[in-house]
Amino acid sequence: MQGTHKPSVDPIIDAAKAVYSELGYDLIITSAADGTHSEGSLHYTETGRFDGGQALDLRCAQWHGYPKEDRLEIERRLRQRLPAEYDVVGQSLGHTSHIHIERDLS
């Protein structure tokens, strides 16, 4: 994975590895603290919101071979496995190109 991340994303990685494996997919992290994201994104190291570098994007797009049912199931299982301070944003919330997960203490 390129970019830097905080230990607080380790639970994301652990949960995602398990969920993707259970459903027969390889986990591919498409973005950590790299890339272009919205202003104030928790991807960035310095955001003015807590301590950045606390978000990951996971591959899960239909054009990469993930049927809608599987994308929704991945989201559901991630929400079950992660503590409440982790937000899972994906297909069910209109985020279709990837699943975004962040540790947001607000």
Side-chain angles (χ1 to χ4, degrees):
M1 174 175 50
Q2 293 183 354
T4 59
H5 73 280
K6 303 288 183 191
S8 59
V9 298
D10 289 342
I12 299 171
I13 295 168
D14 294 341
K17 279 182 186 177
V19 168
Y20 275 65
S21 177
E22 289 166 5
L23 294 173
Y25 294 106
D26 293 326
L27 172 63
I28 299 173
I29 298 171
T30 58
S31 188
D34 53 341
T36 303
H37 306 281
S38 60
E39 185 177 330
S41 169
L42 289 177
H43 281 283
Y44 295 126
T45 305
E46 299 300 328
T47 66
R49 296 175 59 205
F50 320 115
D51 192 16
Q54 298 195 55
L56 297 177
D57 291 339
L58 312 177
R59 176 167 289 168
C60 197
Q62 183 174 358
W63 54 88
H64 288 124
Y66 298 84
K68 180 178 182 177
E69 297 77 25
D70 286 356
R71 295 194 309 269
L72 293 171
E73 183 63 16
I74 289 169
E75 288 179 49
R76 186 187 71 75
R77 292 186 189 195
L78 287 169
R79 285 188 185 101
Q80 283 182 328
R81 288 180 185 258
L82 289 166
E85 70 260 21
Y86 290 87
D87 296 330
V88 178
V89 181
Q91 178 77 33
S92 63
L93 297 173
H95 212 74
T96 59
S97 65
H98 60 278
I99 295 176
H100 170 87
I101 306 174
E102 64 183 28
R103 181 173 181 246
D104 190 349
L105 299 173
S106 63

